[in-house]
Amino acid sequence: MKIVVLKFGGTSVGSIEKIKKVAEIISNYKKKYNVIVVSSAMSGVTNDLIKKSQKISQNFSDAEYDVLVSSGEQVSCSLIAGRLIHKGFKSRSWLAWQIPILTEGAYKNSRINQLYKNKIIKYLKEGGIPIITGFQGVNDLERITTIGRGGSDASAIVLAKFFRAHKCIIYTDVEGVFTTDPNKLKKAKKIKMISYEEMLEMASLGAKVMQPVSIQDARLNRIDIEVKSSFVNKPGTLITKRTNLINNKIITGITSTHNDAKVSLVGVKDKPGVAASIFKPLSKKSINVDMVVQNISANGKETDLTFTIKSEDLNKTKKIIKENKNINFRRLLFEKGVSKISIIGVGMITTPGVTFRMFQALANKKINIQVISTSEIKISVLVDKKNTKKALEALHKEFKLDK
Ligand code: ADP
Ligand code: ASP
Ligand code: MG
């Protein structure tokens, strides 16, 4: 019998009523398939646990953080299994170490690299429904690890890969992947099909609906993903390979971020090695630098360097720059109130004039562009955060995404 992997996100298991609904969905699939379930923690639980760790220590141990935050998934999985048992099914919860699902890499941000199938296969053959904790694994020191925020998506894809699942369905609180966050723009439209490449860009650029690592894994292993709502039974979005798509849109989606910060170093020496001396200590401390611009130097001696980072890294970044004797500048400026707006679409490869249209649409709304970065299938601009909604609206209209 074919296997389907069903993943339920935090809001889908956010209350007892919702968990009962999830058990209904699972039992319907069980009529036709062997079902493997992956669940996130009930919504809000992971955030609460993180807050608790911060109250204990601002330097809370990474290894203990993983033990702590992984506990949310244990609760939701047990409740789902309990409800299925109540309904007369054979079901049980599985923590990652019980399978085991092995990970490598640092705590808080590990990657799944191995999964032992035997126990689950045996259980499926006995007619059981395994409910597996997302987001967690165990490392070679036999310690619990987690795989990054939103990581249950990646757990689901890995399970789909190892069990050669017929389908992998991501159940969430919206009807699928939309042209932009439907909670930010009412006019957003559900996308029927989207390529891995576009979904990966959208996820990396702020569309929270899928976690980026999960899309990378799906793409590498050619796993089709369906994203759909656990609240209403409607067709969702298929994430698949580019050749499966018939799409005549230039732009597929638009994203925005809300937690970027801009750092500018005014009056840095214009000579080789200066940028490296600034970014090396940042990368050593695992601070991700995103957009970078360096002005041409007017006098040949000094220039200005601007880059963006995640807001939560701002204090660390300031400290590193101020304390590093090798970094010389006249003034350090930083700003939290910025948002990165990106348009994404494989259609832009073959269509000239997309950049112009984006800039003109923003200019018409008097939105100033602070930094620009591009790749083959996306253009990102940094704007004042207060313009986020206006920019999304203008671009959504310009590229006819509401049609
Ligand atoms: P889950 O708890 O199911 O993992 P998430 O909160 O991680 O759900 O992701 C779903 C949310 O992603 C939606 O509620 C929506 O606000 C947000 N989102 C952002 N961009 C998009 C988009 N382009 N399409 C759909 N949802 C999006
Ligand atoms: N519960 C974890 C989180 O909130 C994992 C997930 O939701 O996928 O990040
Ligand atoms: Mg999620």
Side-chain angles (χ1 to χ4, degrees):
M1 201 159 43
K2 285 175 174 166
I3 294 178
V4 296
V5 170
L6 308 178
K7 179 258 170 177
F8 295 94
T11 355
S12 304
V13 294
S15 67
I16 297 302
E17 280 318 304
K18 285 178 178 162
I19 289 177
K20 288 180 180 172
K21 176 86 199 294
V22 159
E24 279 297 320
I25 296 176
I26 297 168
S27 52
N28 279 330
Y29 279 97
K30 184 63 189 159
K31 292 175 192 155
K32 267 178 80 181
Y33 299 103
N34 274 315
V35 185
I36 297 178
V37 175
V38 184
S39 184
S40 303
M42 294 170 79
S43 55
V45 168
T46 312
N47 287 341
D48 284 346
L49 292 167
I50 294 173
K51 279 194 199 122
K52 287 199 173 89
S53 75
Q54 288 164 343
K55 283 185 188 152
I56 290 289
S57 163
Q58 278 301 322
N59 268 319
F60 197 84
S61 143
D62 287 353
E64 289 307 328
Y65 170 102
D66 283 3
V67 177
L68 179 70
V69 300
S70 63
S71 65
E73 274 68 14
Q74 178 165 344
V75 174
S76 52
C77 287
S78 140
L79 291 172
I80 298 171
R83 184 66 189 176
L84 288 166
I85 295 165
H86 168 89
K87 285 163 77 73
F89 291 93
K90 179 181 165 83
S91 183
R92 66 158 279 193
S93 59
W94 298 79
L95 305 183
W97 65 266
Q98 296 174 310
I99 293 178
I101 297 173
L102 302 183
T103 62
E104 60 182 3
Y107 293 105
K108 288 174 118 172
N109 207 10
S110 294
R111 287 290 295 264
I112 298 172
N113 62 354
Q114 185 61 270
L115 185 158
Y116 288 88
K117 298 198 296 188
N118 297 354
K119 293 179 202 166
I120 299 293
I121 297 268
K122 179 163 176 279
Y123 192 67
L124 289 172
K125 280 189 181 146
E126 293 162 4
I129 309 176
I131 317 295
I132 300 174
T133 49
F135 183 48
Q136 57 171 268
V138 57
N139 67 14
D140 54 2
L141 303 170
E142 295 183 346
R143 298 200 65 169
I144 291 172
T145 54
T146 61
I147 59 174
R149 294 305 307 270
S152 300
D153 294 335
S155 306
I157 303 303
V158 168
L159 284 158
K161 168 185 145 190
F162 277 90
F163 289 95
R164 295 178 183 278
H166 170 64
K167 277 180 190 216
C168 180
I169 306 179
I170 305 289
Y171 276 98
T172 183
D173 60 352
V174 286
E175 284 178 28
V177 180
F178 282 66
T179 49
T180 192
D181 187 343
N183 289 320
K184 285 190 186 149
L185 195 73
K186 285 259 154 0
K187 282 190 178 154
K189 284 269 174 315
K190 186 163 57 182
I191 301 169
K192 274 197 188 135
M193 283 192 199
I194 184 170
S195 65
Y196 297 118
E197 291 78 8
E198 290 167 314
M199 191 64 238
L200 183 56
E201 288 279 10
M202 283 184 69
S204 314
L205 293 165
K208 191 182 166 218
V209 59
M210 288 300 296
Q211 187 235 24
V213 173
S214 71
I215 305 297
Q216 266 167 342
D217 287 348
R219 179 180 170 210
L220 277 175
N221 298 291
R222 296 290 176 218
I223 295 165
D224 282 356
I225 306 170
E226 190 183 344
V227 182
K228 62 190 289 187
S229 164
S230 60
F231 308 146
V232 290
N233 188 10
K234 284 192 184 166
T237 299
L238 183 70
I239 307 172
T240 186
K241 54 178 186 277
R242 227 191 265 188
T243 46
N244 286 348
L245 300 179
I246 344 146
N247 187 358
N248 43 20
K249 286 231 159 74
I250 303 165
I251 300 302
T252 303
I254 309 175
T255 59
S256 64
T257 61
H258 55 90
N259 57 347
D260 283 320
K262 184 175 77 168
V263 181
S264 295
L265 294 156
V266 180
V268 292
K269 291 251 155 19
D270 191 18
K271 61 171 194 201
V274 168
S277 74
I278 293 168
F279 294 132
K280 191 172 158 198
L282 295 179
S283 92
K284 261 197 179 157
K285 293 275 184 218
S286 302
I287 294 173
N288 240 331
V289 173
D290 183 17
M291 306 168 98
V292 184
V293 273
Q294 183 178 326
N295 289 340
I296 330 173
S297 153
N299 57 10
K301 288 181 192 138
E302 277 185 347
T303 178
D304 303 336
L305 187 76
T306 296
F307 57 89
T308 63
I309 50 171
K310 291 272 155 274
S311 287
E312 65 252 30
D313 290 333
L314 188 57
N315 286 337
K316 258 205 271 179
T317 303
K318 278 194 235 173
K319 199 160 172 260
I320 292 169
I321 293 180
K322 282 183 180 159
E323 286 173 4
N324 193 312
K325 299 257 165 353
N326 296 324
I327 308 177
N328 297 307
F329 52 88
R330 275 194 288 114
R331 238 168 358 129
L332 180 63
L333 307 173
F334 35 83
E335 198 186 319
K336 269 193 176 179
V338 291
S339 171
K340 183 168 67 170
I341 311 283
S342 310
I343 58 173
I344 295 114
V346 290
M348 73 171 75
I349 300 173
T350 47
T351 316
V354 178
T355 316
F356 161 75
R357 281 174 67 187
M358 180 185 200
F359 294 175
Q360 188 63 57
L362 295 173
N364 289 345
K365 295 284 170 200
K366 305 219 163 13
I367 298 169
N368 187 40
I369 299 172
Q370 306 181 11
V371 184
I372 301 163
S373 76
T374 62
S375 80
E376 203 185 21
I377 63 165
K378 73 115 207 265
I379 306 168
S380 301
V381 295
L382 198 69
V383 301
D384 196 319
K385 206 177 200 164
K386 68 172 196 290
N387 289 326
T388 307
K389 180 128 194 262
K390 236 196 317 179
L392 287 178
E393 265 165 6
L395 296 171
H396 208 263
K397 194 161 171 228
E398 172 63 33
F399 293 102
K400 301 188 171 54
L401 292 181
D402 25 11
K403 295 274 148 50

